[in-house]
Amino acid sequence: DDPPELSAAQSASLVLLQSACRAAGHELLVELLPPEGEAADEDTTASAITRVYAEGLKPDWWKLPPFDNAAQWNRLAGVVRQHDPWCRGMVLLGLGSRLEALETAFAAAAGEPLCRGYAIGRSVFAEAAEGWFTHQLADKQVVDQIVERLRLLANRWAATRTRQRSQV
């Protein structure tokens, strides 16, 4: 729902970026973020994906907000498949979500084969970084905390994915 001028500028930039990626042999990942202070919903996201395809773009990857039910992920995957059956997949965006919210999002996304994983940087390092910036954590403690958080989330995703596949 951006103003037409902003939307046109964004589309032109993405078309240029897609051309550069193709020329350089790189894949294109498009991240759809909800506007600041607004929650993403499947209708808005499905509409945005459709508009991107209408502009002639075919990202190799989609990075999408963390939806909390499987029907939302299945609907979005259907939109992607309809417009680009060769799309490599979708990844779940963390948006700095807490562990409980990520587990819910993981459970929702893990059953959709087109959702290949997650990109959750702030959810992994934000707490540790804050401790480091405020001098409450030493370098090694920060590294250990980030490694442990990453290990925990990777294990949770893998376990959720395994459970989802065994139920099919």
Side-chain angles (χ1 to χ4, degrees):
D1 298 327
D2 288 329
E5 310 80 43
L6 177 58
S7 185
Q10 290 172 336
S11 293
S13 293
L14 285 171
V15 167
L16 183 62
L17 179 61
Q18 178 175 265
S19 296
C21 286
R22 300 290 185 257
H26 295 292
E27 294 182 353
L28 174 63
L29 178 143
V30 172
E31 178 176 334
L32 291 180
L33 291 173
E36 184 86 23
E38 291 184 31
D41 64 42
E42 69 182 287
D43 292 330
T44 304
T45 305
S47 177
I49 290 171
T50 301
R51 276 195 311 266
V52 168
Y53 283 122
E55 294 291 332
L57 292 157
K58 289 197 173 187
D60 299 289
W61 295 94
W62 288 98
K63 189 174 176 186
L64 303 174
F67 297 106
D68 62 4
N69 76 58
Q72 291 170 312
W73 283 100
N74 295 338
R75 178 175 177 212
L76 296 173
V79 171
V80 170
R81 286 184 186 101
Q82 174 188 351
H83 292 283
D84 184 8
W86 303 110
C87 180
R88 294 182 43 85
M90 307 180 300
V91 292
L92 183 150
L93 173 62
L95 295 177
S97 299
R98 313 265 327 140
L99 179 60
E100 300 77 25
L102 285 174
E103 287 180 328
T104 300
F106 281 5
E112 172 49 58
L114 199 56
C115 186
R116 311 279 194 212
Y118 53 87
I120 53 173
R122 282 179 288 160
S123 299
V124 171
F125 69 77
E127 190 177 310
E130 184 177 329
W132 186 77
F133 287 130
T134 59
H135 306 288
Q136 295 174 357
L137 295 175
D139 293 354
K140 181 172 179 1
Q141 291 173 301
V142 170
V143 170
D144 290 346
Q145 190 172 336
I146 290 171
V147 166
E148 183 52 38
R149 182 70 164 213
L150 187 56
R151 181 178 292 123
L152 171 72
L153 289 165
N155 288 339
R156 300 258 170 107
W157 170 261
T160 301
R161 192 81 165 180
T162 300
R163 274 194 309 278
Q164 292 286 342
R165 287 185 176 159
S166 69
Q167 293 173 359
V168 174

